[in-house]
Amino acid sequence: RRMARRGKTMAAEAKGSGHPLEKSIRKVCVTIGEKDTDIVITSYQNNIFIIATQNGKCGTMVFAEKDAKAIGTQPTYSVKVLMGKRDDELISLVARNLVTKVAPKSLLLGINLKNLNMKTAKELIKKIDAYKPS
């Protein structure tokens, strides 16, 4: 069962006091690599939790964050695989790109795509950037 019909989003916004656990959630079903892909983006005050899956499971969990101290003028980012495929460089690349584009401070990413390659990684980043909560 799909969470949302292809190309349509469901959003739930929590409004209120500015509490750190206040969140907004966006769910969408898109096609990536010719396969239906569910994307859930949960945005908290300073963090974003994203799941991108083609089989309903979280897959590899990755934490990425902007480092407090920048080297020179460019910000630096740390990426750590918490569980799952530790040797897949593309997953780390996706996390690093997403933390620079959509996360204010840090990102927790669950990614489970059947055929992750450079083309599908770029598609995924583009789709998440398009559907990120504003």
Side-chain angles (χ1 to χ4, degrees):
R1 185 175 144 188
R2 306 304 322 162
M3 289 187 293
R5 292 201 166 142
R6 184 175 295 122
K8 302 213 176 192
T9 62
M10 298 186 313
E13 301 283 335
K15 300 187 191 267
S17 65
H19 189 274
L21 295 179
E22 185 176 314
K23 65 184 182 227
S24 70
I25 301 170
R26 182 158 290 173
K27 302 174 188 177
V28 65
C29 180
V30 296
T31 301
I32 295 177
E34 300 179 9
K35 297 195 182 294
D36 287 343
T37 306
D38 292 319
I39 298 174
V40 180
I41 305 170
T42 305
S43 178
Y44 296 90
Q45 197 172 38
N46 292 323
N47 308 301
I48 292 185
F49 176 43
I50 299 172
I51 295 179
T53 182
Q54 292 177 334
N55 67 359
K57 297 179 182 176
C58 286
T60 301
M61 297 296 293
V62 182
F63 180 75
E65 68 180 333
K66 184 177 181 179
D67 292 332
K69 295 181 182 177
I71 299 172
T73 58
Q74 296 295 323
T76 57
Y77 300 91
S78 298
V79 177
K80 182 178 181 184
V81 176
L82 301 176
M83 48 185 188
K85 296 180 183 177
R86 296 191 183 280
D87 58 346
D88 193 336
E89 303 248 344
L90 275 176
I91 292 174
S92 294
L93 177 71
V94 169
R96 190 176 309 273
N97 272 280
L98 288 174
V99 77
T100 61
K101 290 180 185 257
V102 302
K105 250 186 165 174
S106 63
L107 164 81
L108 181 59
L109 173 67
I111 184 168
N112 195 349
L113 301 185
K114 295 185 188 212
N115 186 18
L116 184 63
N117 54 44
M118 196 58 119
K119 181 182 176 190
T120 56
K122 286 180 182 179
E123 281 183 69
L124 178 63
I125 293 166
K126 185 177 177 182
K127 299 284 185 179
I128 291 173
D129 192 34
Y131 288 106
K132 69 183 175 194
S134 49

